[in-house]
Each structure stands twice: as C-alpha cells, then as structure tokens.
Amino acid sequence: MTNRPGMLLAVGATVAGLVTAAPAPAAADTGTPSTAPLAWKDCATKSYPTLQCATVRSPLDHDDPAGREVTLALTRVPHTSKTFQGPLLVNPGGPGGSGLSMAGFVAASLPKEVAAQYDVIGFDPRGVGKSRPALDCLPGYFDPVRPDPVPQSLGGERVNRNRARDFAAACGEKYPDLLPYMDTVSAAKDLDVIRRATGARQLNYFGYSYGTYLGAVYAKLFPDRVRRLVLDSNVDPDGVWYDDNLAQDYAFDTRHKAFAAWVAKYDDTYGLGSDPAKVEAAWYRMRDAVKKRPAGGKVGAGELDDTFLPGGYYNGYWPVLAEAFAAYVNDRDEKPLTEAFERFAAVDADGDNGYSVYTAVQCRDASWPGDWNVWRSDTWRVHAKAPFMAWGNTWYNAPCADWPVKPLNPVRVSNHDLPPALLFQATDDAATPYEGGVTLHRKLRGSRLVVEQGGANHGITLSGNDCLDRYLADYLAKGTVPRAGRGDVDAVCAKTPDPVPETAKSARPASRTDAALRGTTLHTLLGFRG
C-alpha cells in the first residue's frame, strides 16, 4: 500500500480560519454498574512532580462481571483549572505498550492552560507492565543471535517456523485461562471501567498507533460515553491484522530507501556515497557480513534489521544509525553498531512482556491464514519488491498461525453516533500507512482528518510540529475542529524538517533542538526507543 494522496489542501493553512464548534457532549449513560472510586497516591518523579498512581479492578471476562478480575495500573496528572473537562485517557499503542509514562508526557507537552483542564490518565492495559497478571510467554525469545529471518532453504525456514510454534505453545501452556480474554474488545471495556472509576459520565481519549484502533472500538461499543476522541497515526480497521502487516512491509521498505537517500545526501559526513541505490546496496552488504560474523558477537542479520527498523518509525534516529552504519563499513568499527543495537533493539523483560501481549491480542482479535503456504507465498511476493522487513515481520507475527485460542471477528468500527473526532496522519507513515487514516476518517462520520504533508514519522502530534499541535490544542480546549474539506483531507500541515547529521558543524536552531527532543521522548514512549 504505497499510494499517496494525489492532491491535498494548501500547506500551512492558518488554524484560526478552519475551525467550527463541535456539538455538545452526548447525554450521560444510565444504569451502569458502580465501580469503587480510585484511591490516588503520590508517585511523583523529577520530570512529573504532580504524578499520582492508582489501580482499578476489572472483570477478566466482561460477560461475567462477578467472576475473576484483573488489576489495571493507572497514573494521573490531575487538573488544576477551575474549568474541568473530565478525564483524558492516553494510550501509546502496541498492543502491548505501557502507558503509565504517557500521562506525564502529554500533560507536560500540551499548552499549560489546556492540560490544566483535564485529569490526564495513563494506563497499562490488561496483561501489560504493572497491570496484573502480566504476560511473559517465553523469556529470552529475542536473545541474540537469532536465525536469519530470510530463509535460504526450507531447513532455514523450518527453524524459524518451529521457534514461532514454540512461542505459541508456551503462551498456551502458561496462560490458558487468560488468552481467551486478551483482545481489543476486552481492553476497550476496561476503558469503560476506568471511566466509571473516575466518576465521569463521559471520557476523552487520545491514542497513538494501535491506540487509534482501541479508541475506535471503544467508540463503537460506547458512543454516548465519548466526549472527545483524538487518534494519531491510524490503523486501517479493514486490514486487522494480516493485511495491515503486509501493507507495512512495503511502507517500511520505502522508508529504508528514504534513509539511504538521506545518508547519500550527507556523503561528506558519512562517506558512503552520493547515490542512494549504492548506499542501500552497502547496507545489504553489511547485513550479509554480520550474518556470517555477528558484530560484537551479538548483532547478526536479524538483530541488524531490528536495529534499523526504529528509523522507519522516526527519522530523528537517522543520525545515530548512519554513524553506526558508516563506522562499520568504512572503518570496520563494530562498537557503534553494537551500541546502536543495545539502544534501539535489545529486548529486556519489558520487551518480552510487550511482545507477549502483542501476539496475544493480535492473534485473538482476528483470523490469520491457517495454511502456512499462504504466509510463505505472500512473504516471498512482498520480499521480491520490499525486502527490508518482509520476512522479519512474518516471523514476528508467525505465532498467530498456531495460536492456541480461536480468533474473534474484528469489530466493524463504522460510527454515526459520535461527536466529531480529530484524526492526524502523516502521508508517508510506514507503520500505519496513509490509506488507513483515510479509511478510518470515512468510517467515523463527522470526523476531521489533519494531514502532515510529506511527513513520515509514526506519531506526529506533540512531536515538534506546531501546526499539528495547534489543531490538537484547539480541539481539546474548545472542541473545535477544521471545517470539512471537499475530499478526504480537512486540513494540512507542512512536515517537520528532516534531521541533520549530529556531526555537522553548523549550529542548529534552538527550535529544531527542542523539536528533536520532544520527538525522541514521544517515540521512546511509543516503544521505538532512542
């Protein structure tokens, strides 16, 4: 899915001229089961001195509210303004992403007068992080050095196939009572438990990445309980989840080529050539080399792929990745490459937990091909055009081919009963390609789509783009949204500038430095470490 919009509105349009008032919030729900009020306790940090923590209990099976429960961990930055607009739940995506740190980040990144009007609440979804029980199906599954993701023979393919089978089997043996309830619908119903515990009749929700799908599912289940809905970098609800992953393969390969072109642009710095195609070829030669002899004894072919993958999510990592690339190719210096691996790709216990929840939710949410020949055929077809992550992505999701719990049917998220939702999408996003944002926009009647023209990062608000952030702030402060456009796009912002090499002698403007810091902080919270 590499098509891009053929026409967009003029870049840099002024926010003030494009907003209209949203309708009043829907009426309160009635007859909802009561939930004990939250007991917030101080858990302040140096960065977030007003942060508070609490837990709430939620049914494991929402169809059996008197049965077994799970415990959800929460954080909050409380409102300080006399004008109180209720809870704002924030989610970084995943599935499997911890959201506890998101509350402090969002509250600190929004304009003070806007954040002050909300209780900004982060949470670990069921199975994640400090919520209990937390999943960890097979500790050390990603320990280096793993087999090359790209099979050179049926025997090599069998090795990876067996690893994926073993992971699925381990999950089934360890969590037979939990896996049937690890799904997006259950997580969305948990959100309503949190809402009730806050005492609010409606909630406000702000989700990135997979969090957009979680928010859309919540809105489908409880449309009258949604007050404001912000969705950034949108999952295509029609592709959940097999087709969405195939679309990612093409888009990430495009981003990898963009990285090579950026390195070529700065040949004076990196010395890898000024031809993007030759730079990309040098990267694949490096991959062949570490496959034969892993760098530092730990960075083989699969680990190299994982190290450079975060650059497809966020181009702010390109300077570090380019320096490691150049050091290895030009100087045979492995240290920067191993350091980059530790920084961007090494998986610890939190990563094991995140992956366990990721597979549990995605494998349960929707059907995956039961015939492995379909996976093989599709992956080789994609690999022929987009080799960067096709096989790596297949193996990441391959446990779903043998998942021990039968899949559910995906939720049809089309919704005509919501107040206007505000959607943000970059045109060249790799993790959630542009077409998915357009699809979700069409399904949520009355929603507005704000596009970052030429932008390619995954997660674009509160990341240094003032134009996007003005739309966000106006919506959260006053409920205003852009006027409806004539096509699929309602407003456009220019993209955040690409990074420059960190070794460049020319000083960067302070605004660029601040934007880079905010972008790195956000993408670390979204799970793409830096």
Side-chain angles (χ1 to χ4, degrees):
M1 296 174 65
T2 56
N3 293 333
R4 295 295 177 259
M7 88 66 136
L8 293 176
L9 306 178
V11 172
T14 303
V15 174
L18 292 172
V19 296
T20 57
D29 61 290
T30 59
T32 306
S34 62
T35 300
L38 295 168
W40 293 104
K41 298 179 180 179
D42 178 78
C43 59
T45 68
K46 183 177 180 180
S47 298
Y48 308 124
T50 63
L51 194 68
Q52 300 173 337
C53 294
T55 60
V56 65
R57 299 184 71 80
S58 184
L60 173 65
D61 178 359
H62 285 278
D63 291 332
D64 182 18
R68 182 179 172 184
E69 294 179 318
V70 296
T71 300
L72 308 175
L74 313 176
T75 55
R76 176 180 76 164
V77 175
H79 73 284
T80 56
S81 172
K82 292 182 179 179
T83 301
F84 178 46
Q85 301 207 48
L88 173 63
L89 272 64
V90 294
N91 180 269
S98 171
L100 296 184
S101 297
M102 286 294 294
F105 172 79
V106 171
S109 300
L110 287 170
K112 290 182 180 180
E113 65 274 13
V114 177
Q117 298 177 30
Y118 288 92
D119 284 349
V120 183
I121 297 176
F123 60 98
D124 277 354
R126 57 174 54 203
V128 175
K130 292 187 177 180
S131 291
R132 292 293 179 266
L135 273 62
D136 190 348
C137 295
L138 193 59
Y141 184 69
F142 289 99
D143 286 353
V145 174
R146 306 192 312 274
D148 183 359
V150 182
Q152 302 302 313
S153 65
L154 288 177
E157 180 181 329
R158 192 177 303 115
V159 169
N160 278 306
R161 181 84 170 93
N162 288 339
R163 288 186 76 250
R165 278 198 183 110
D166 290 346
F167 186 89
C171 285
E173 292 171 4
K174 200 169 184 179
Y175 304 110
D177 52 341
L178 296 179
L179 294 188
Y181 308 105
M182 292 298 300
D183 60 90
T184 299
V185 169
S186 294
K189 292 179 178 179
D190 289 342
L191 297 186
D192 208 55
V193 171
I194 297 172
R195 176 195 64 80
R196 295 201 307 268
T198 67
R201 66 188 182 94
Q202 293 179 307
L203 62 73
N204 308 281
Y205 179 88
F206 180 6
Y208 291 90
S209 190
Y210 164 78
T212 65
Y213 184 64
L214 177 61
V217 170
Y218 178 84
K220 181 66 174 182
L221 298 177
F222 308 106
D224 58 325
R225 300 173 196 175
V226 176
R227 183 172 180 271
R228 289 181 187 152
L229 183 65
V230 181
L231 307 177
D232 183 330
S233 304
N234 297 275
V235 166
D236 185 342
D238 289 344
V240 173
W241 290 108
Y242 184 75
D243 289 343
D244 278 350
N245 277 278
L246 292 177
Q248 281 186 339
D249 295 343
Y250 292 106
F252 271 104
D253 194 80
T254 298
R255 291 306 298 154
H256 192 56
K257 287 179 168 58
F259 167 69
W262 182 86
V263 172
K265 177 181 177 181
Y266 294 103
D267 180 43
D268 289 348
T269 299
Y270 300 116
L272 290 164
S274 58
D275 182 344
K278 291 183 179 179
V279 171
E280 185 182 20
W283 189 89
Y284 280 102
R285 287 195 299 273
M286 176 174 65
R287 188 182 190 281
D288 288 339
V290 299
K291 176 184 175 181
K292 297 173 183 176
R293 182 180 177 277
K298 65 175 63 175
V299 183
E303 289 75 23
L304 185 77
D305 295 345
D306 291 351
T307 300
F308 281 78
L309 182 62
Y313 286 97
Y314 176 53
N315 63 11
Y317 299 151
W318 285 0
V320 175
L321 294 172
E323 288 179 15
F325 179 14
Y328 183 90
V329 172
N330 295 331
D331 303 322
R332 297 297 184 264
D333 184 358
E334 298 180 355
K335 184 178 179 181
L337 195 59
T338 58
E339 290 176 344
F341 166 73
E342 293 293 343
R343 176 175 176 179
F344 294 115
V347 176
D348 56 12
D350 289 340
D352 285 337
N353 166 243
Y355 180 65
S356 296
V357 175
Y358 171 90
T359 51
V361 173
Q362 293 224 336
C363 299
R364 177 66 166 150
D365 265 357
S367 295
W368 295 73
D371 182 353
W372 182 252
N373 290 323
V374 174
W375 293 70
R376 177 191 295 117
S377 176
D378 284 346
T379 306
W380 279 123
R381 173 176 51 81
V382 175
H383 179 87
K385 295 182 178 180
F388 173 60
M389 67 170 272
W391 272 107
N393 203 15
T394 288
W395 297 125
Y396 199 77
N397 292 284
C400 294
D402 298 284
W403 201 245
V405 180
K406 291 183 179 180
L408 302 170
N409 293 318
V411 175
R412 298 181 182 274
V413 301
S414 296
N415 204 319
H416 294 179
D417 301 319
L418 292 175
L422 187 61
L423 280 59
F424 293 91
Q425 189 72 39
T427 55
D428 299 320
D429 183 357
T432 52
Y434 175 81
E435 293 83 357
V438 172
T439 297
L440 188 58
H441 174 38
R442 291 172 179 171
K443 290 181 180 293
L444 302 183
R445 189 175 70 175
S447 66
R448 299 293 190 269
L449 178 62
V450 180
V451 167
E452 185 182 29
Q453 177 65 61
N457 291 333
H458 181 63
I460 56 176
T461 56
L462 304 184
S463 189
N465 188 314
D466 291 340
C467 174
L468 297 170
D469 290 350
R470 284 196 298 272
Y471 283 108
L472 174 64
D474 279 357
Y475 179 68
L476 291 177
K478 298 173 289 186
T480 52
V481 295
R483 293 197 184 105
R486 294 182 179 179
D488 289 316
V489 178
D490 302 303
V492 175
C493 293
K495 74 169 187 175
T496 303
D498 287 340
V500 297
E502 293 181 353
T503 54
K505 295 181 180 180
S506 57
R508 285 173 285 174
S511 60
R512 281 288 303 279
T513 303
D514 292 344
L517 178 61
R518 289 177 61 188
T520 298
T521 302
L522 171 64
H523 289 87
T524 298
L525 294 174
L526 298 187
F528 320 123
R529 293 175 298 169

